[in-house]
Amino acid sequence: MKCWITATGAPGATAGSAAKQQGCSSPLRFCCHDWPNGMRNWKKHVTIPESYYFDSGILADFIDHNGLYWLHSQKYKNPESLESEYHKVEEIFFKGSYPTDIVNKFRMFLEQVGEHPLILRSSSLLEDNFGYAFSGKYESIFLANQGDLETRLQEFIRGMKRVHISTLAPAPIMYRRDHNLLDFDEEMSVLVQKVVGRRADGLFMPFAAGVAFSYNPYHWTARIRKEDGLVRLVLGLGTRAVERVSQDYPRMIPLSHPQLRPEVTAEQIRKYSQRLVDVLNLETAALESLPYLDLLEQMPQADVFLAVSVMREGHLARRRSRDTP
């Protein structure tokens, strides 16, 4: 992971998503000794995204540059004021500008990474606090990052502001208040990563992505070790694994026994399977949810072979060939 510091030359502490990124492979190394032989070489199949760390000093410099010191007291207002004033606060924030030297660093970064889709993720010290669930409280922004440099720069600046302004959203502030964390300095940084995936007819998506948990509360059999954790895995971008989506389901994988699943019958497996796939539309720069049937023709047949099962006479089976639709 690379670090892009502020104009002060003093990078902030690595925290939240950035800290987790640095240590994410250790649990896999620990538990994979119990996995089947074919799964122990997981490094051949798992891509760690190219990552860049933009420290908390960038937000501090933005507030100083625009004289927005009053934002520091916004979190102490009552819930009604937080809700009613947020859109106005958001509007004022988006009218502000980053210092010229910071913008130049953004431009240099975009020149280096080129036209590759990016995700901007919150990285706060509060996300490191054990016993608190800050996952999903702050924004994560996908950027298509296509076109000329100045267009990409303006898109990147707007994305950076969206992550920064999410610290003032009512939901995380109320959560902090409920847990006596209002006076804790969250030091919001931003972790920027190249999105892992491939292009297909103007769309961009990985074969599979997901979210991992260090504890598995869904131990549907005594064989599962809760402390080994759980993965929620989906076809396409991992947004559908992070956010609970009505009438759609990720694949639940206990890391102690990854080949076990909670469904028993073929009909249960069919019912609790994923139906929509999240993709990044590179032409509209929008995140879209598409029926998986619409994507099968655009996906490599080897991926379709791994992702899709066929119901035959009440039983689920793999496709007969990797090469035929």
Side-chain angles (χ1 to χ4, degrees), residues 132-185:
Y132 302 115
F134 276 90
S135 176
K137 296 292 190 296
Y138 301 115
E139 288 264 24
S140 290
I141 308 297
F142 280 98
L143 301 180
N145 190 34
Q146 305 294 299
D148 63 85
L149 179 59
E150 290 307 310
T151 298
R152 293 189 289 123
L153 176 62
Q154 293 308 311
E155 179 188 38
F156 185 84
I157 288 174
R158 184 166 182 82
M160 189 70 69
K161 287 181 178 179
R162 285 182 61 185
V163 177
H164 283 154
I165 191 62
S166 68
T167 61
L168 297 172
I173 289 178
M174 292 308 301
Y175 186 83
R176 292 175 64 183
R177 179 173 295 169
D178 291 343
H179 294 86
N180 298 314
L181 294 171
L182 278 184
D183 294 325
F184 188 95
D185 188 356

Side-chain angles (χ1 to χ4, degrees), residues 2 8-9 12 22 33 46 52 66-67 84 90 104 119 125 142 146 153 178 186 194 260 263 271 278 296-297 316 318:
K2 301 182 180 181
T8 61
Q22 290 179 325
H33 66 276
V46 176
Y52 300 82
N66 295 280
S84 63
E90 194 175 32
N104 287 337
I119 181 171
L125 287 176
F142 280 98
Q146 305 294 299
L153 176 62
D178 291 343
E186 59 190 341
K194 282 188 172 182
L260 290 180
E263 307 88 1
K271 178 179 179 180
D278 282 359
L296 293 186
E297 293 299 322
L316 286 175
R318 286 192 170 186

Side-chain angles (χ1 to χ4, degrees), residues 4 7 43 51 53 88 98 114 140 142 152 155 157-158 185 211 216 222 225 242 305 313:
W4 290 71
K43 286 187 178 181
S51 304
Y53 177 64
K88 185 64 176 178
Y98 291 100
S140 290
F142 280 98
R152 293 189 289 123
E155 179 188 38
I157 288 174
R158 184 166 182 82
D185 188 356
V211 58
N216 180 8
R225 294 191 298 272
V242 176
F305 176 83
E313 299 179 354

Side-chain angles (χ1 to χ4, degrees), residues 26-212:
S26 297
L28 285 171
R29 286 197 298 267
F30 175 76
C31 69
C32 68
H33 66 276
D34 285 338
W35 291 2
N37 289 335
M39 299 180 67
R40 291 181 185 172
N41 294 325
W42 59 271
K43 286 187 178 181
K44 294 182 179 179
H45 309 288
V46 176
T47 300
I48 305 298
E50 187 175 318
S51 304
Y52 300 82
Y53 177 64
F54 291 75
D55 71 53
S56 58
I58 293 175
L59 176 56
D61 283 2
F62 176 87
I63 291 174
D64 290 342
H65 184 68
N66 295 280
L68 300 178
Y69 306 107
W70 55 271
L71 290 177
H72 293 302
S73 62
Q74 192 70 15
K75 61 187 177 182
Y76 295 109
K77 294 189 175 181
N78 60 55
E80 293 75 19
S81 296
L82 287 173
E83 291 284 354
S84 63
E85 296 177 11
Y86 181 64
H87 291 299
K88 185 64 176 178
V89 170
E90 194 175 32
E91 181 181 334
I92 294 172
F93 196 94
F94 275 102
K95 286 181 178 178
S97 60
Y98 291 100
T100 302
D101 59 331
I102 298 295
V103 174
N104 287 337
K105 289 184 178 181
F106 292 166
R107 184 180 287 106
M108 290 170 56
F109 165 72
L110 293 173
E111 286 178 335
Q112 176 178 332
V113 298
E115 294 182 64
H116 189 98
L118 302 172
I119 181 171
L120 280 58
R121 303 175 57 196
S122 65
S123 184
S124 164
L125 287 176
L126 286 173
E127 293 174 298
D128 290 336
N129 273 268
F130 294 102
Y132 302 115
F134 276 90
S135 176
K137 296 292 190 296
Y138 301 115
E139 288 264 24
S140 290
I141 308 297
F142 280 98
L143 301 180
N145 190 34
Q146 305 294 299
D148 63 85
L149 179 59
E150 290 307 310
T151 298
R152 293 189 289 123
L153 176 62
Q154 293 308 311
E155 179 188 38
F156 185 84
I157 288 174
R158 184 166 182 82
M160 189 70 69
K161 287 181 178 179
R162 285 182 61 185
V163 177
H164 283 154
I165 191 62
S166 68
T167 61
L168 297 172
I173 289 178
M174 292 308 301
Y175 186 83
R176 292 175 64 183
R177 179 173 295 169
D178 291 343
H179 294 86
N180 298 314
L181 294 171
L182 278 184
D183 294 325
F184 188 95
D185 188 356
E186 59 190 341
E187 295 193 29
M188 178 59 73
S189 305
V190 180
L191 177 67
V192 180
Q193 297 176 307
K194 282 188 172 182
V195 181
V196 175
R198 60 168 69 97
R199 298 169 186 256
D201 293 337
L203 304 177
F204 190 92
M205 59 174 277
F207 166 62
V211 58

